[in-house]
Amino acid sequence: MRDTLGVLLAGGAGERLFPLTRDRAKPAVPFGGHYRIIDITLSNCINSGLRKVFILTQYKALSLNRHVREGWTGIVAQELGEFFELLPPMQRTGANWYMGTADAVYQNIYSIGSEQPKYMIILSGDHIYKMNYARMLEYHQETKADVTLATLPIPPDEVSRFGVVQVGQSGEVEGFLEKPASTTFRSPFSPENVDASMGIYIFNTEVLLKALIADAEDPDSKHDFGHNILPNLLGNAKMMAYSFVDENKQQALYWRDVGTLDAYYDANMDLCSVSPIFNLYDRSWPIRTRVRQYPPAKFVFGEPGRTGTAINSVITAGVIISGASVSNSVLSQDVRVNSYTEIDSSIIFSHVNIGRHCRIRRAIIDRDVHIPEGTVIGYDAVEDKRRYFVTPSGLTIVTRDASLFENPVDPEFLKRY
């Protein structure tokens, strides 16, 4: 990994996770109570020995930038040339913001050149999985590939969500389609499935830079890896497929795109089960994050009907469950749940105060929200749709008052200065 540079794409707007992405970038959305989504990929980097990473940010990146700066930049040895470096659009190559995944990398071609890496790993900051990128790099070197794609098997009816790969018996890529409606491609190793691209690529740097420059000069390009870079390189460079090796140590491969509210909710709910598929407790593959200083979680009162309890739930530091009952839920830091309240199958972000006598079910409550006493969420779909954001599956999203953040400064304050 010493000659390898990671480029982590973290600038997507995350429209499908709205309203959770109204005020934050998608990789900055909390996950598992304690983490942010981007922490999973960054942990993979550290656990793989990849310690030179450019993180390309763009939309609503303030909280993401703070999280990376305060939680990740200090764990690598800067005196040894290691870094987790945040790169916003700097318009070195033009006046545009990032116009696609390939353009995002191209716009940072000067920064890449200053590092002179032999290999480049392109990563995404919004997937949940465990992977040792060093294994993939070894495969890339052993096969003398110019480009290597990480793949995993998927059912044929899911191909419209992925780039799909036609892989030969030798492992070389013979065809690539970006999100087709259907395909005749089938995996040579699992004939009932299709090999799908995970959006993880290793390039020989010289090959990638030439491809990026050619793509930037194409006025008809979407400037996207899946739509343009990979199809244009196919047949002109040696492209290999690397079958995903899961470090999660479960029977089934675990890789989740948490790009929709329902997928995000399901991935969090899995963590509450007795034996979650995604193991956060594996000491051989630790998941790291920025640790804030909060007191331990506390459960108080033990009277009939007023007992502080949490069952099959993830409870983080600073939480106080005061005479309330919590089940099948994820509570982030500094949450207060007051007496006689019942919370079931919900995700509560940090700094939330939930009043007494509330009933909340199948909800996601954004940070800094105060839930008034007696509030009922998740039991009356008509009322929930009138007051909150509700998905077609009936998941209720409770956000902060938008006006507080669209107009955070009192106009009278501005007149005084």
Side-chain angles (χ1 to χ4, degrees):
M1 286 294 185
R2 189 172 299 174
D3 299 323
T4 305
L5 173 68
V7 178
L8 199 163
L9 303 172
E15 295 95 339
R16 295 181 300 159
L17 269 183
F18 185 87
L20 298 181
T21 52
R22 187 189 67 190
D23 302 311
R24 60 170 72 86
K26 179 180 174 182
V29 173
F31 178 77
H34 193 55
Y35 309 94
R36 305 291 186 106
I37 292 174
I38 196 173
D39 289 332
I40 309 304
T41 303
L42 291 178
S43 294
N44 287 339
C45 291
I46 288 293
N47 295 336
S48 302
L50 180 60
R51 296 171 179 269
K52 296 180 181 180
V53 181
F54 285 143
I55 302 169
L56 310 190
T57 63
Q58 182 161 257
Y59 298 103
K60 302 173 183 176
L62 177 61
S63 65
L64 177 61
N65 290 348
R66 284 178 174 169
H67 179 75
V68 172
R69 184 180 69 247
E70 297 173 4
W72 285 94
T73 57
I75 67 172
V76 292
Q78 297 179 23
E79 66 274 15
L80 299 179
E82 301 173 359
F83 56 82
F84 284 101
E85 191 73 48
L86 292 157
L87 295 182
M90 291 185 284
Q91 299 185 340
R92 280 186 178 272
T93 60
N96 297 311
W97 282 35
Y98 297 149
M99 297 184 294
T101 55
D103 180 65
V105 181
Y106 172 73
Q107 286 200 32
N108 291 284
I109 201 167
Y110 174 87
S111 301
I112 293 167
S114 68
E115 294 301 321
Q116 298 184 339
K118 186 175 182 180
Y119 306 105
M120 291 182 59
I121 300 182
I122 309 299
L123 303 166
S124 174
D126 50 15
H127 298 143
I128 308 299
Y129 65 105
K130 296 180 182 180
M131 181 176 179
N132 189 337
Y133 306 130
R135 291 188 185 215
M136 183 176 172
L137 180 61
E138 289 174 4
Y139 176 82
H140 177 84
Q141 294 168 327
E142 289 170 359
T143 58
K144 295 180 171 56
D146 296 311
V147 187
T148 299
L149 287 63
T151 63
L152 78 166
I154 62 167
D157 58 1
E158 295 184 12
V159 296
S160 61
R161 297 171 42 228
F162 295 87
V164 295
V165 184
Q166 180 67 65
V167 183
Q169 291 292 336
S170 66
E172 191 160 356
V173 175
E174 299 175 351
F176 185 92
L177 298 172
E178 179 68 6
K179 298 180 180 178
S182 62
T183 182
T184 58
F185 291 177
R186 290 296 183 270
S187 171
F189 314 109
S190 178
E192 70 278 9
N193 291 314
V194 179
D195 287 317
S197 171
M198 299 171 64
I200 300 168
Y201 318 119
I202 295 181
F203 290 87
N204 293 344
T205 301
E206 183 180 358
V207 172
L208 177 59
L209 296 187
K210 288 181 179 178
L212 291 175
I213 292 169
D215 178 75
E217 295 172 349
D218 182 359
D220 299 322
S221 175
K222 294 182 178 180
H223 308 297
D224 181 80
F225 277 98
H227 281 103
N228 306 107
I229 299 295
L230 297 177
N232 290 341
L233 284 175
L234 191 62
N236 298 310
K238 186 176 182 181
M239 189 179 300
M240 299 297 294
Y242 172 78
S243 296
F244 174 41
V245 178
D246 191 359
E247 301 294 334
N248 195 44
K249 301 180 179 66
Q250 299 284 350
Q251 185 173 0
L253 297 178
Y254 189 98
W255 181 91
R256 297 289 184 274
D257 179 355
V258 289
T260 66
L261 289 168
D262 289 329
Y264 169 80
Y265 174 82
D266 291 341
N268 275 272
M269 289 298 100
D270 169 63
L271 300 176
C272 299
S273 63
V274 176
S275 299
I277 300 174
F278 190 73
N279 183 9
L280 293 174
Y281 302 90
D282 182 1
R283 294 183 180 180
S284 68
W285 199 268
I287 306 298
R288 295 171 171 84
T289 187
R290 182 205 172 182
V291 179
R292 295 179 179 271
Q293 299 302 316
Y294 289 107
K298 184 167 70 170
F299 303 77
V300 295
F301 295 114
E303 307 164 7
R306 190 193 183 196
T307 301
T309 61
I311 301 171
N312 294 339
S313 296
V314 174
I315 309 297
T316 56
V319 172
I320 299 177
I321 300 178
S322 177
S325 65
V326 176
S327 60
N328 309 303
S329 297
V330 176
L331 273 60
S332 295
Q333 298 96 334
D334 191 34
V335 169
R336 176 70 177 262
V337 187
N338 289 287
S339 295
Y340 311 108
T341 283
E342 299 176 2
I343 298 177
D344 179 42
S345 302
S346 296
I347 304 169
I348 315 297
F349 288 4
S350 58
H351 317 306
V352 170
N353 189 302
I354 300 174
R356 291 185 167 200
H357 300 285
C358 294
R359 296 169 63 221
I360 299 172
R361 180 177 66 183
R362 292 199 78 240
I364 302 175
I365 300 179
D366 207 343
R367 61 171 292 164
D368 295 311
V369 170
H370 172 71
I371 304 295
E373 182 173 333
T375 300
V376 177
I377 300 171
Y379 291 85
D380 186 334
V382 174
E383 182 65 16
D384 286 343
K385 289 178 181 178
R386 189 179 69 83
R387 301 168 62 192
Y388 311 115
F389 185 96
V390 181
T391 70
S393 67
L395 183 63
T396 305
I397 318 299
V398 181
T399 60
R400 299 168 285 183
D401 181 2
S403 64
L404 294 177
F405 297 89
E406 292 168 358
N407 303 290
V409 179
D410 184 343
E412 295 299 320
F413 175 84
L414 296 176
K415 292 179 182 178
R416 294 198 295 269
Y417 296 92

